[in-house]
Amino acid sequence: MAPPQGPRAPLEFGGPLGAAALLLLLPATMFHLLLAARSGPARLFQALVLTALLVGLGVSAGLPLGALPEMLLPLAFVATLTAFIFSLFLYMKAQVAPVSALAPGGNSGNPIYDFFLGRELNPRICFFDFKYFCELRPGLIGWVLINLALLVKEAELRGSPSLAMWLVNGFQLLYVGDALWHEEAVLTTMDITHDGFGFMLAFGDIAWVPFTYSLQAQFLLRHPQPLGLPMASAICLINAIGYYIFRGANSQKNTFRKNPSDPKVAGLETISTATGRKLLVSGWWGMVRHPNYLGDLIMALAWSLPCGVSHLLPYFYLLYFTALLVHREARDERQCLQKYGLAWQEYCRRVPYRIMPYVY
Ligand SMILES: NC(=O)C1=CN([C@@H]2O[C@H](COP(=O)(O)OP(=O)(O)OC[C@H]3O[C@@H](n4cnc5c(N)ncnc54)[C@H](OP(=O)(O)O)[C@@H]3O)[C@@H](O)[C@H]2O)C=CC1
Ligand SMILES: CC(C)CCC[C@@H](C)[C@H]1CC=C2C3=C(CC[C@@]21C)[C@@]1(C)CC[C@H](O)C(C)(C)[C@@H]1CC3
């Protein structure tokens, strides 16, 4: 079966070498972070071996929630293994999928690269869409569950959860609740429309999101932080500003894409493109070319601040997320330039900043 993209098409993520390195680096980073959140670096190898031994025992669902934080390492190992096996299944499944079901990327002919990126665009069995399910369910819900377990454990240890723990739990619950509330919006993200379903997304959804996105709460359990009301209020304000921009920008674009004559967006200025679709050039999308990323990054800052500034670990999410969004923005720009050509160039001329006005 001929792949839709020839071996000489430009490869992303550093090609096969980059994909091979990421296959090892991503799980290694996640385990390192999990360990760094709980103790000194000397326990890294002990803990990995312990995790490998514990995985055989599995975890039963009936355990009290406060016991979960102690099981994060074995659970992360199981999640990683599941992501590997699941990606293997997806790779095999793509071998028998029709060419029309394959993703525009992820079909280079190099097995490591294709395993990493994913060959099939939206693998399904009957009506069950694996990618849509994984993107929103196990990772996001697992993340909230781990956060909650850390809050319960802190209450067990110290009598009540700290203000910092409440803030981190509240902010991240709002973010996950928002994603589930607006779940149809995920259908227009490049993960669903462009990327295949391979190791990158499977690992991201099943392991990376629940275990590394909960790092701030993990950190707070072991490193309690005093937080006064004025500082807490300032952090809440930062999160509210971030959320306002994130939600405002995403909703404006979603409303416009669904119905351009909706009164909420009908008055906005647009650029016509040769495809018949229009681009917003005022409102949130006239401020920068990715206002939703800006809001997301401001929220990421608010999630780290309750952890103080004594340690870099709680800021991992902010740093990783900045890198992810800068890379994602570059990929999206490339795809938009291909799709909209001159109209996209005109948009870039009228809205010169990508994410942060006057900075980037
Ligand atoms: N927490 C996390 O780990 C992650 C969160 N996110 C968040 O997910 C959300 C979705 O992000 P993502 O899918 O990357 O990208 P966007 O939601 O920004 O979608 C980009 C697409 O929007 C359309 N578009 C771009 N500019 C305009 C314009 N001016 N007018 C109208 N349409 C336009 C184009 O598609 P078209 O024209 O075809 O409609 C473009 O391809 C973001 O809020 C992001 O922050 C993303 C990744 C990870
Ligand atoms: C493991 C790698 C380093 C990176 C993997 C990336 C994935 C973790 C992210 C790719 C796009 C994502 C989105 C969300 C979560 C993270 C992943 C899967 C998202 C579901 C978070 C909530 C948002 O409201 C959203 C817009 C629905 C997000 C969609 C993209």
Side-chain angles (χ1 to χ4, degrees):
M1 177 191 310
Q5 171 188 290
R8 269 176 290 135
L11 301 181
E12 298 177 298
F13 296 94
L17 259 186
L22 284 168
L23 275 173
L24 299 174
L25 265 178
L26 287 174
T29 307
M30 185 184 74
F31 280 105
H32 177 74
L33 290 167
L34 279 171
L35 289 162
R38 60 169 49 206
S39 66
R43 285 176 52 196
L44 176 66
F45 292 105
Q46 276 176 20
L48 273 180
V49 173
L50 187 68
T51 308
L53 292 173
L54 283 178
V55 79
L57 300 174
V59 188
S60 74
L63 280 172
L65 204 52
L68 195 71
E70 291 312 316
M71 305 174 86
L72 285 185
L73 278 168
L75 286 176
F77 185 85
V78 173
T80 305
L81 202 66
T82 307
F84 261 108
I85 295 170
F86 184 43
S87 314
L88 217 56
F89 158 76
L90 292 171
Y91 186 80
M92 305 293 215
K93 185 177 175 311
Q95 311 282 36
V96 292
V99 175
S100 59
L102 300 183
N107 286 285
S108 66
N110 182 293
I112 295 183
Y113 181 81
D114 295 347
F115 173 78
F116 181 76
L117 248 77
R119 297 197 60 203
E120 209 179 340
L121 185 61
N122 297 115
R124 292 188 182 109
I125 290 186
C126 298
F127 295 110
F128 188 78
D129 185 316
F130 288 109
K131 203 207 287 181
Y132 185 51
F133 172 79
C134 288
E135 188 94 347
L136 284 169
R137 295 288 183 272
L140 294 185
I141 293 170
W143 173 18
V144 166
L145 200 69
I146 292 175
N147 272 352
L148 185 66
L150 289 156
L151 184 141
V152 169
K153 180 76 183 171
E154 200 189 38
E156 279 171 20
L157 287 178
R158 306 198 179 99
S160 66
S162 62
L163 182 54
M165 184 66 97
W166 277 118
L167 288 193
V168 167
N169 261 263
F171 294 161
Q172 298 183 349
L173 182 64
L174 170 73
Y175 189 70
V176 170
D178 175 273
L180 298 176
W181 185 260
H182 297 98
E183 74 166 31
E184 83 290 346
V186 86
L187 291 172
T188 59
T189 62
M190 74 169 77
D191 314 272
I192 300 286
T193 59
H194 178 269
D195 294 339
F197 196 19
F199 179 80
M200 181 178 76
L201 276 182
F203 176 75
D205 291 336
I206 297 169
W208 186 261
V209 168
F211 294 100
T212 66
Y213 284 28
S214 59
L215 268 181
Q216 286 103 352
Q218 292 179 47
F219 176 84
L220 286 174
L221 183 68
R222 263 112 196 159
H223 308 86
Q225 299 293 318
L227 186 64
L229 267 185
M231 185 60 181
S233 311
I235 295 173
C236 285
L237 183 66
I238 296 174
N239 194 67
I241 293 172
Y243 181 71
Y244 180 70
I245 300 175
F246 166 84
R247 180 55 22 232
N250 278 326
S251 292
Q252 195 167 71
K253 176 162 69 71
N254 293 340
T255 307
F256 181 71
R257 280 286 172 250
K258 264 198 267 177
N259 176 17
S261 43
D262 185 308
K264 282 190 222 134
V265 291
L268 295 173
E269 214 182 323
T270 59
I271 299 180
S272 300
T273 75
T275 64
R277 278 160 90 86
K278 290 183 174 178
L279 291 168
L280 287 168
V281 76
S282 67
W284 288 115
W285 298 81
M287 189 174 82
V288 284
R289 299 206 292 274
H290 279 281
N292 47 353
Y293 290 4
L294 175 65
D296 226 334
L297 284 168
I298 295 174
M299 281 191 283
L301 173 67
W303 300 352
S304 304
L305 287 174
C307 303
V309 288
S310 61
H311 209 294
L312 193 61
L313 193 83
Y315 291 83
F316 169 79
Y317 178 75
L318 180 61
L319 297 176
Y320 137 84
F321 198 43
T322 304
L324 180 121
L325 290 184
V326 166
H327 178 244
R328 200 174 165 92
E329 189 273 336
R331 292 182 75 208
D332 188 53
E333 293 262 326
R334 236 181 359 254
Q335 287 165 24
C336 285
L337 184 61
Q338 226 169 35
K339 237 182 326 188
Y340 300 126
L342 284 177
W344 187 259
Q345 284 173 344
E346 168 66 6
Y347 179 48
C348 294
R349 198 188 58 74
R350 301 228 351 226
V351 184
Y353 291 99
R354 294 162 188 260
I355 298 178
M356 176 85 83
Y358 305 106
V359 178
Y360 178 72

